Amino acid sequence: MRIKKGTYRVATGNGWEETKGSYANSYPFYIHRHHSDKLWSVSHMATGYNIKKGMTLKHAKALVRQLKPFPLFLVPTIDTFTKQLEIMREQQPNKHKEMVTIIAQS
């Protein structure tokens, strides 16, 4: 995964927003930071929503590696993500708890 400088898109309360900074793509996630920030964030590529922010690059890369096996992140929209998250919570509570723990500990 190579860090690049340029423009990337994130989702905000006002919709998609282009931001300048550093980023790396690691499907289905990207690691990024605004040009004035020192710490990194991990976001979901398809929806643009932030998964976790305020990490070192090392911790952000580790989080991406740990979350990649979860098929939940392969959904294309926020609506399907929300629906699949609820299904996971109900039908696979142990997997859901594992995923939430990984995010919380990073």
Side-chain angles (χ1 to χ4, degrees), residues 5-86:
K5 290 188 183 216
T7 303
Y8 57 91
R9 294 177 1 137
V10 292
T12 66
N14 299 324
W16 286 96
E17 186 176 291
E18 287 196 359
T19 306
K20 290 187 179 188
S22 301
Y23 68 96
N25 294 323
S26 183
Y27 187 81
F29 307 103
Y30 58 97
I31 298 170
H32 58 93
R33 72 174 180 187
H34 189 267
H35 65 84
S36 63
D37 292 342
K38 295 196 184 295
L39 295 176
W40 295 82
S41 299
V42 172
S43 294
H44 184 241
M45 276 184 178
T47 62
Y49 283 92
N50 188 305
I51 294 170
K52 184 144 187 181
K53 59 183 172 180
M55 299 176 285
T56 64
L57 181 57
K58 179 180 177 180
H59 286 114
K61 286 180 178 181
L63 177 60
V64 166
R65 277 192 301 276
Q66 290 176 311
L67 292 179
K68 274 192 173 198
F70 291 93
L72 168 70
F73 294 104
L74 298 176
V75 297
T77 67
I78 192 62
D79 293 333
T80 54
F81 179 84
T82 305
K83 185 178 271 187
Q84 289 302 313
L85 184 61
E86 187 59 36

Side-chain angles (χ1 to χ4, degrees), residues 79-96:
D79 293 333
T80 54
F81 179 84
T82 305
K83 185 178 271 187
Q84 289 302 313
L85 184 61
E86 187 59 36
I87 290 169
M88 182 184 197
R89 190 176 303 141
E90 291 174 4
Q91 296 180 4
Q92 298 175 322
N94 292 336
K95 276 289 194 193
H96 180 266

